[in-house]
Amino acid sequence: MEDEKILEIKDLHTAFRFQDEYFDAIDDVSLSLYKNEVLAIVGESGCGKSTIANSIVGLHDKNFTKTSGEIIYNGENVLNYSEDQYNKIRGKEIGFIFQDPLASLNPLHKIGIQIEESLIYHTNLNKGQRHERMLQLLDQVGIINPKRIANQFPHQLSGGMRQRVLIAIALSCKPKIIIADEPTTALDVTIQAQILDLLTELQDEINAGIILITHDLGVVAQMSDRVAVMYAGQIVEYAETKELFSNPLHPYTRSLLQSIPQADSVGEELHVIKGMVPSLKNLVREGCRFAPRIPWILESEHEKSPMLNEVSKNHFVRCTCWKNFHFRDDGGY
């Protein structure tokens, strides 16, 4: 990881409209991304991970969304960008690897055309140069026989190959930032490992900063330099990866790690986090948002207005409940 900051998110709020009311899906999130680092954002489905990613590149429908705060890139707050300004950095300076490659690729266009589209929009390469660059990208992401694949349609490829195509598109203009939104969710374990290795190799080549959005803590441990753990729209713990895994503090982080099956725990019951992530409408926004899922921790041990506090160097935790948290001895969690 290098010390050159390439993206800074300050006090981000993203709210979605339900009927005539807006509800924050992202609530006061602040993050930084540095050149050549992998920043992982982890949490359960519905915690706001993808909402952050879409806010960065302006993919939310402004008729149903309100966004405030700052997302600083190249010294400018991109939240003030027009659609034309966003289009100049999407694909060129910020690459996006979407969660579902089959839904993200156009079923009516051949693979080669879809890779070249970004090159047409963002570069001055002529037709022959674009074609060569497209074949080079397919080869670079580990696709055998690029010429044949370039003439195929998305439905003719396997899930792993489609994901490689999305990576090729994201890398086509050598962006400074890559946002990878659950890039291995629908893939089997072997292909997952290949895709993650590929991302790491390509990052080293272009020195990009990667925002890795995932719920898979194994992927986080393997790839990331720093981790932001999210719950109900807020960051509840933020630290370097080694520190977070060796010294998890927030009850939610500890519960997530406790839920991972261990090789030496055969025959034991799998740890389950009680309850569910509340919906935006039903979310109680005062006090510790994780409190309802750890009811054996006294109310007095939670902060009334929990903030991210630096409890050790570069290790931030929200709410003081971590100091007195313990797992129940009766296995009723």
Side-chain angles (χ1 to χ4, degrees):
M1 187 178 81
E2 300 184 18
D3 292 334
E4 182 183 337
K5 188 184 293 183
I6 53 177
L7 184 76
E8 186 170 12
I9 300 172
K10 298 179 180 178
D11 305 323
L12 178 65
H13 290 256
T14 301
F16 295 117
R17 192 178 83 188
F18 293 95
Q19 296 178 334
D20 295 326
E21 288 187 79
Y22 283 87
F23 299 88
D24 274 355
I26 297 297
D27 192 351
D28 191 27
V29 165
S30 297
L31 291 168
S32 298
L33 178 69
Y34 293 85
K35 184 177 180 181
N36 204 34
E37 83 155 333
V38 177
L39 169 65
I41 303 176
V42 66
E44 292 171 271
S45 297
C47 70
K49 304 185 301 294
S50 295
T51 303
I52 291 178
N54 291 331
S55 297
I56 292 171
V57 289
L59 292 182
H60 293 302
D61 186 338
K62 294 184 179 179
N63 293 317
F64 300 96
T65 313
K66 283 183 179 179
T67 307
S68 63
E70 294 180 286
I71 300 177
I72 307 298
Y73 175 69
N74 280 343
E76 298 180 337
N77 182 8
V78 299
L79 293 181
N80 297 326
Y81 273 15
S82 65
E83 192 65 17
D84 286 342
Q85 288 175 304
Y86 266 124
N87 284 336
K88 289 178 182 177
I89 63 170
R90 290 185 194 131
K92 182 180 181 182
E93 299 182 40
I94 303 177
F96 207 124
I97 303 169
F98 291 94
Q99 182 172 349
D100 184 351
L102 188 58
S104 304
L105 294 168
N106 190 324
L108 303 179
H109 289 169
K110 293 180 178 180
I111 295 301
I113 292 173
Q114 297 193 58
I115 295 175
E116 287 188 40
E117 184 177 9
S118 185
L119 299 173
I120 292 170
Y121 193 85
H122 291 300
T123 74
N124 295 319
L125 299 177
N126 61 39
K127 186 175 181 180
Q129 290 170 328
R130 289 196 302 269
H131 185 75
E132 285 301 313
R133 173 66 176 152
M134 178 269 295
L135 294 177
Q136 178 190 30
L137 285 162
L138 286 174
D139 180 67
Q140 193 175 14
V141 297
I143 287 181
I144 299 171
N145 199 343
K147 288 183 179 179
R148 180 175 67 85
I149 298 302
N151 282 307
Q152 292 189 314
F153 292 92
H155 73 271
Q156 296 176 290
L157 306 184
S158 68
M161 291 180 74
R162 287 194 291 263
Q163 193 62 277
R164 290 172 188 268
V165 169
L166 281 189
I167 293 172
I169 293 171
L171 295 175
S172 59
C173 297
K174 297 185 177 180
K176 296 178 182 178
I177 297 170
I178 299 169
I179 300 173
D181 188 0
E182 302 274 10
T184 61
T185 295
L187 306 177
D188 63 52
V189 175
T190 303
I191 303 301
Q192 279 187 24
Q194 293 175 5
I195 295 297
L196 294 174
D197 288 344
L198 173 62
L199 278 173
T200 302
E201 291 170 12
L202 295 173
Q203 181 199 25
D204 289 340
E205 181 179 328
I206 64 175
N207 293 319
I210 295 180
I211 297 176
L212 176 65
I213 295 167
T214 184
H215 62 268
D216 190 330
L217 289 166
V219 170
V220 171
Q222 177 183 340
M223 279 198 68
S224 68
D225 298 295
R226 289 184 299 136
V227 188
V229 180
M230 288 197 68
Y231 182 76
Q234 294 182 323
I235 293 173
V236 294
E237 190 159 1
Y238 188 29
E240 293 183 0
T241 303
K242 289 182 180 178
E243 167 68 12
L244 186 111
F245 277 82
S246 63
N247 186 31
L249 296 178
H250 193 277
Y252 182 59
T253 308
R254 291 177 60 186
S255 300
L256 285 178
L257 292 171
Q258 188 80 0
S259 302
I260 301 173
Q262 304 294 326
D264 58 356
S265 60
V266 177
E268 296 181 13
E269 283 192 25
L270 188 64
H271 179 79
V272 176
I273 304 175
K274 183 179 178 180
M276 297 178 63
V277 178
S279 68
L280 291 184
K281 282 187 175 183
N282 297 326
L283 176 62
V284 177
R285 298 177 183 274
E286 295 180 358
C288 178
R289 297 184 180 184
F290 194 58
R293 300 180 74 175
I294 47 173
W296 60 94
I297 302 300
L298 297 175
E299 184 179 348
S300 60
E301 294 173 354
H302 297 281
E303 288 181 74
K304 291 185 178 179
S305 301
M307 304 293 290
L308 270 178
N309 299 305
E310 189 170 16
V311 296
S312 61
K313 186 178 180 182
N314 298 323
H315 191 161
F316 299 84
V317 184
R318 189 179 296 275
C319 192
T320 53
C321 60
W322 66 271
K323 296 178 181 179
N324 298 294
F325 176 72
H326 59 275
F327 293 107
R328 283 174 56 172
D329 296 330
D330 60 8
Y333 190 4

